[in-house]
Amino acid sequence: MNFEYLSIRCRHGHLEILDQTLLPHEEVWLNANEVSEMFDHIKRLAVRGAPLIAVAAVACLAVQASREGTTAEKLIKDTLHLKSSRPTAVNLMHMSDELTSQLRQSDPSSNPRDLVLKVAEDVIKKEVQMNQSMSRHGASLIQNGENILTHCNTGSLATPGVGTALGVIREAHRQGKNIHVYVDETRPLLQGGRLTAYELKSEGIPFTIICDNMAGFLMSQKKIDRVLVGSDRIATNGDFANKIGTYSLAVLADYHKIPFHLVAPASTVDPDCSSGNEIPIEERNPAEVLGVSGSQSVQWAPTGSNVYNPAFDVTPGHLVTSIILDTGIYDRQSIQNGSLHKLKFFDSEEK
Ligand SMILES: CSC[C@H]1O[C@H](OP(=O)(O)O)[C@H](O)[C@@H]1O
């Protein structure tokens, strides 16, 4: 298996990931050939972003199987282990459920390595295609000269392609729409100020970093024309989980009557999740809040302070202007009419 994307690459069966905890100032590639290595990379957000987590997991399973040989039982065990690395992003769950289902149904005489390689190639190919489709759909909404606010990182560091919300921004810029991007720093791990800024700067897309608590003031000054965010899991009623701080943006956008969109592959819709209160929310190490961008060098709070560190929040669907997927744009009315229930998920067969 050979591929090369911004944050993950596989050369002659050797898998590496770009350690996103060190960006933007250090570009360090780490080995990721072993499931145990990949589990740690995902857990500490060296690998992050809902679609990329699924891609990295399945690529590691394929590489390890190719290098060491395997059995269906061992692959299933390793898949379930990687599935437990982070609870909120549904892309990882879809991939692991699909792979374990195929392994359990496979012919005992077949080589499970061939199966996992095929699933890995299919997942990667589909994610790249979905990125391109949703970016084109979303860019059709962007008017010339818009100021767009985005949260966290939803670009080529979070997917094996142009990105989700950031993919829309890239496509609008490519179409010459003269946009400016306001980038929420996205405390506590600064995925926006570090990673989205890294991507936009490298491509000359105009941007301004802001603290998360500045978004409302910018909206009150009529400096934001549209909000674009990603998602880690979408319930079929349009509620969705995304990086902590997204819900606040949605409420502010609703108050200021600013279009608010989530952008994601259809594989982020969880058909087993009928509303946002069913989405598991990951709580992370309090030390991330007490440090700066995860580092512990600056201890600014009183020792022994209590800390709450949910990595995501849930935004109700009624605050979303429209959901932009690779399969199209879904406004509130169509979502209320059940359009998300009928989406194709993960594989090519209609479910
Ligand atoms: C297209 S990435 C979707 C989603 O993943 C990010 O979370 P994390 O950085 O914790 O992996 C963020 O919520 C993005 O919006």
Side-chain angles (χ1 to χ4, degrees):
M1 186 165 63
N2 287 290
F3 59 77
E4 184 130 9
Y5 298 102
L6 186 61
S7 59
I8 190 169
R9 65 191 184 196
C10 189
R11 294 170 170 169
H12 311 298
H14 181 73
L15 186 65
E16 295 178 302
I17 59 101
L18 180 63
D19 186 342
Q20 297 192 35
T21 66
L22 300 177
L23 290 175
H25 301 304
E26 293 178 78
E27 294 183 359
V28 174
W29 288 89
L30 302 175
N31 291 334
N33 299 299
E34 303 288 335
V35 164
S36 57
E37 290 172 326
M38 186 58 82
F39 184 91
D40 293 341
H41 294 333
I42 293 171
K43 192 78 181 168
R44 66 183 188 86
L45 277 73
V47 169
R48 50 147 298 281
L52 187 81
I53 291 169
V55 164
V58 72
C60 179
L61 289 162
V63 161
Q64 183 179 272
S66 301
R67 293 163 70 97
E68 301 169 6
T70 190
T71 63
E73 291 72 22
K74 181 172 186 327
L75 263 174
I76 289 169
K77 176 174 166 285
D78 286 344
T79 302
L80 295 175
H81 180 54
L82 287 172
K83 180 179 180 180
S84 69
S85 58
R86 294 187 72 193
T88 304
V90 75
N91 315 61
L92 177 61
M93 313 317 163
H94 279 163
M95 181 285 290
S96 50
D97 293 350
E98 182 68 20
L99 178 56
T100 50
S101 167
Q102 289 194 33
L103 286 166
R104 288 187 175 116
Q105 295 169 37
S106 64
D107 181 336
S109 64
S110 66
N111 187 332
R113 180 204 59 201
D114 300 338
L115 188 155
V116 66
L117 270 169
K118 174 80 169 58
V119 171
E121 287 159 358
D122 289 350
V123 166
I124 293 169
K125 182 174 172 227
K126 198 170 177 62
E127 283 295 343
V128 171
Q129 290 169 345
M130 291 192 287
N131 273 218
Q132 287 159 353
S133 301
M134 74 183 90
S135 300
R136 282 194 296 270
H137 290 316
S140 69
L141 300 176
I142 310 296
Q143 304 305 310
N144 189 54
E146 281 193 359
N147 290 325
I148 298 170
L149 174 67
T150 193
H151 192 69
C152 198
N153 172 257
T154 59
S156 300
L157 289 170
T159 69
V162 292
T164 62
L166 206 52
V168 171
I169 288 168
R170 270 194 171 92
E171 177 59 16
H173 177 75
R174 189 195 66 78
Q175 291 177 7
K177 292 193 171 178
N178 190 31
I179 57 171
H180 185 96
V181 188
Y182 282 96
V183 178
D184 267 358
E185 62 174 351
T186 315
R187 281 271 300 156
L189 296 179
L190 307 182
Q191 287 96 323
R194 291 187 303 113
L195 306 179
T196 295
Y198 172 83
E199 291 195 45
L200 294 175
K201 188 160 175 48
S202 70
E203 295 178 30
I205 299 174
F207 69 96
T208 302
I209 296 173
I210 61 171
C211 295
D212 302 327
N213 54 13
M214 297 174 184
F217 185 48
L218 275 171
M219 291 181 190
S220 72
Q221 295 176 313
K222 305 208 181 305
K223 289 185 178 172
I224 304 295
D225 300 304
R226 192 178 305 272
V227 181
L228 293 175
V229 299
S231 179
D232 293 78
R233 193 181 301 222
I234 306 168
T236 51
N237 71 342
D239 299 348
F240 72 100
N242 196 51
K243 186 51 51 195
I244 188 73
T246 302
Y247 171 59
S248 312
L249 284 180
V251 171
L252 285 164
D254 186 59
Y255 177 81
H256 290 286
K257 297 181 175 37
I258 294 169
F260 180 93
H261 311 276
L262 84 82
V263 188
S267 53
T268 307
V269 176
D270 182 353
D272 299 327
C273 197
S274 59
S275 78
N277 57 33
E278 296 170 29
I279 301 175
I281 297 298
E282 177 186 12
E283 285 201 37
R284 293 185 61 84
N285 187 335
E288 293 178 351
V289 173
L290 296 175
V292 176
S293 173
S295 72
Q296 307 314 312
S297 56
V298 179
Q299 291 296 329
W300 44 268
T303 306
S305 298
N306 291 325
V307 175
Y308 179 43
N309 185 19
F312 302 99
D313 56 26
V314 175
T315 298
H318 67 80
L319 294 177
V320 179
T321 306
S322 63
I323 295 181
I324 301 165
L325 303 179
D326 54 292
T327 48
I329 300 174
Y330 302 81
D331 63 18
R332 282 178 200 165
Q333 191 56 57
S334 79
I335 294 164
Q336 284 161 10
N337 293 341
S339 58
L340 297 185
H341 288 273
K342 308 182 190 82
L343 288 172
K344 282 188 180 181
F345 297 102
F346 194 72
D347 55 22
S348 52
E349 286 80 50
E350 185 77 46
K351 288 238 175 192

